[in-house]
Amino acid sequence: MELKRAFTLSEVLITLVIIGVVAAITVPVLQEQYTELERISRIKKNYSVLSNAMIRVQAAGGHAVLHTESGSYSELKKWFNKYLSPYLITTKVCYNETGCWNTTGTKYLNGTNASSSNSGVGSNIITAILNDGTFINVDFWLKDDILSYFGVETNQVQAVTIYFDINGAKKPNTFGKDIFTVLFTEYGLILPFKDDESRIDTDCSSSGRGHSCIYKYLKK
């Protein structure tokens, strides 16, 4: 009768150790890849939602209003409620108040503070929570500031900036990581530093603010 050789305890332990080492190496990599894919998916989804909304805003004449308005908060509220809000599914809207943005402060990619306010980024703003948990931050910017800060030209008196946080109140609450920037002018939805690759690369770096990092994810 032929005897069958079994694994010894030491061989089993060695095998388990090898499996553990391989798992320790591969699981974090797989987790990081999954997180990155999830981030890309949420960015593209939110960009699509905002893009579709702005196409309808433009068709309704919401872009023309920006030629004459001067950037007051009452005008921003009227513009948001009449032109943008009907095309977004929100669970809550906050008018220059807390409740629709993170409470830990917002940072630029270079580590400096974009805002320490619990109400959002900016002084007279509207924030809202979309039905998928995304936070948005809406503000009016005058044309000269839009050009110098975001590299976007407009013939309007002002333009609209929208920051969206893909994971709501969860950290890192940092531009270029979970918060991204789009702008609305007479030309529709525009990305920061449009067609200026040098400024895009500089801004989406460890020394930049991170507004242009949306390009990196939309291309993936």
Side-chain angles (χ1 to χ4, degrees), residues 155-166:
N155 293 317
Q156 300 172 157
V157 174
Q158 60 194 347
V160 176
T161 60
I162 299 179
Y163 312 127
F164 62 94
D165 190 328
I166 60 173

Side-chain angles (χ1 to χ4, degrees), residues 2-197:
E2 182 181 354
L3 294 177
K4 294 184 178 180
R5 182 177 180 275
F7 291 109
T8 65
L9 178 60
S10 61
E11 289 174 330
V12 172
L13 291 176
I14 291 172
T15 301
L16 291 175
V17 168
I18 293 173
I19 293 173
V21 170
V22 172
I25 295 172
T26 58
V27 169
V29 174
L30 293 174
Q31 180 63 39
E32 184 177 345
Q33 290 175 345
Y34 173 79
T35 301
E36 183 72 357
L37 289 173
E38 186 179 28
R39 180 185 292 114
I40 293 168
S41 176
R42 290 186 66 87
I43 292 168
K44 289 185 175 181
K45 177 187 175 184
N46 281 283
Y47 177 77
S48 177
V49 167
L50 291 172
S51 180
N52 289 333
M54 289 307 187
I55 288 173
R56 301 175 76 177
V57 169
Q58 197 164 22
H63 64 291
V65 177
L66 302 176
H67 280 286
T68 56
E69 297 191 356
S70 60
S72 71
Y73 188 59
S74 62
E75 290 168 343
L76 175 62
K77 288 175 68 175
K78 286 191 296 184
W79 184 90
F80 177 84
N81 289 321
K82 181 177 181 178
Y83 293 106
L84 182 56
S85 181
Y87 307 122
L88 296 176
I89 303 175
T90 59
T91 59
K92 186 177 182 180
V93 177
C94 301
Y95 298 99
N96 211 25
E97 58 188 348
T98 59
C100 299
W101 199 253
N102 75 75
T103 58
T104 58
T106 304
K107 291 187 178 297
Y108 291 123
L109 197 57
N110 59 19
T112 59
N113 286 330
S115 174
S116 58
S117 169
N118 293 339
S119 59
V121 181
S123 53
N124 290 310
I125 56 175
I126 295 173
T127 51
I129 303 176
L130 302 186
N131 63 329
D132 67 348
T134 298
F135 289 175
I136 64 169
N137 186 123
V138 184
D139 196 4
F140 274 175
W141 279 62
L142 296 176
K143 61 182 296 184
D144 291 342
D145 295 328
I146 284 286
L147 179 59
S148 62
Y149 201 85
F150 298 107
V152 172
E153 294 186 15
T154 175
N155 293 317
Q156 300 172 157
V157 174
Q158 60 194 347
V160 176
T161 60
I162 299 179
Y163 312 127
F164 62 94
D165 190 328
I166 60 173
N167 59 358
K170 295 179 182 178
K171 292 183 178 182
N173 299 323
T174 300
F175 281 99
K177 292 184 177 180
D178 60 345
I179 301 175
F180 300 90
T181 305
V182 293
L183 303 102
F184 178 66
T185 73
E186 68 269 37
Y187 305 110
L189 202 64
I190 306 293
L191 299 183
F193 311 112
K194 183 177 181 293
D195 301 326
D196 190 337
E197 293 187 7

